[in-house]
């Protein structure tokens, strides 16, 4: 009985030590962003970037957009007239079907979704 208790104790000790010393895999997200000028709207809590706006992250990339409005509360980037827009990865892609918004793309980085 004592031998069974000792073996069980050693097994449990090894099991718990493996879980406590295991390292969690950390992912480092790359993010590149630039624009000619930026303006912060304090009332709406948004930032407006204008002129040759370029962005690249793990989900999307584009260059030479006329304007991008960043809304951190909703987790969105509203992108106006981007060039070379690419979806690298997304959980969902939606199309609104409205012709007047044909050059506006909304990227939600919290939900990893893109809306045209």
């Amino acid at each position: 009985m004592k031998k069974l208790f000792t073996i069980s104790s050693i097994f449990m000790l090894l099991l718990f030590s493996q879980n406590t010393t295991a390292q969690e895999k950390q992912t480092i997200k790359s993010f590149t962003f630039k624009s000619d000028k930026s303006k912060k709207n304090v009332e709406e809590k948004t930032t407006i970037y204008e002129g040759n706006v370029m962005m690249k992250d793990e989900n999307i990339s584009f260059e030479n957009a006329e304007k991008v409005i960043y809304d951190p509360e909703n987790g969105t980037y509203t992108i106006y007239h981007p060039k070379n827009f690419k979806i690298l990865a997304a959980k969902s892609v939606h199309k609104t079907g409205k012709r007047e918004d044909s050059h506006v793309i909304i990227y939600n980085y919290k939900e990893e979704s893109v809306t045209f």
Side-chain angles (χ1 to χ4, degrees), residues 48-63:
I48 301 169
Y49 300 94
E50 293 181 303
N52 299 315
V53 184
M54 185 275 295
M55 178 178 159
K56 182 174 183 174
D57 74 0
E58 64 196 17
N59 295 325
I60 67 166
S61 71
F62 63 87
E63 55 190 35

Side-chain angles (χ1 to χ4, degrees), residues 60-91:
I60 67 166
S61 71
F62 63 87
E63 55 190 35
N64 297 327
E66 290 178 7
K67 177 170 71 169
V68 173
I69 300 174
Y70 170 59
D71 184 353
E73 286 188 2
N74 294 325
T76 59
Y77 288 92
T78 305
I79 307 158
Y80 295 88
H81 303 280
K83 305 267 189 301
N84 299 326
F85 185 83
K86 296 177 186 170
I87 300 173
L88 306 173
K91 289 183 179 175

Side-chain angles (χ1 to χ4, degrees), residues 6-97:
T6 305
I7 292 172
S8 297
S9 297
I10 291 172
F11 178 73
M12 293 300 285
L13 180 64
L14 289 173
L15 184 66
F16 286 123
S17 68
Q18 176 65 27
N19 287 339
T20 57
T21 59
Q23 293 182 352
E24 187 176 313
K25 183 180 177 184
Q26 295 179 352
T27 57
I28 299 172
K29 297 180 179 182
S30 65
F31 182 80
T32 306
F33 193 92
K34 72 174 189 172
S35 69
D36 290 342
K37 59 183 176 177
S38 64
K39 177 174 56 172
K40 191 161 189 93
N41 187 331
V42 179
E43 292 174 2
E44 294 181 10
K45 299 179 182 175
T46 60
T47 305
I48 301 169
Y49 300 94
E50 293 181 303
N52 299 315
V53 184
M54 185 275 295
M55 178 178 159
K56 182 174 183 174
D57 74 0
E58 64 196 17
N59 295 325
I60 67 166
S61 71
F62 63 87
E63 55 190 35
N64 297 327
E66 290 178 7
K67 177 170 71 169
V68 173
I69 300 174
Y70 170 59
D71 184 353
E73 286 188 2
N74 294 325
T76 59
Y77 288 92
T78 305
I79 307 158
Y80 295 88
H81 303 280
K83 305 267 189 301
N84 299 326
F85 185 83
K86 296 177 186 170
I87 300 173
L88 306 173
K91 289 183 179 175
S92 64
V93 178
H94 307 280
K95 185 172 181 180
T96 61

Side-chain angles (χ1 to χ4, degrees), residues 92-107:
S92 64
V93 178
H94 307 280
K95 185 172 181 180
T96 61
K98 297 177 183 177
R99 300 276 297 159
E100 61 271 5
D101 292 339
S102 64
H103 296 289
V104 177
I105 299 169
I106 300 171
Y107 168 56

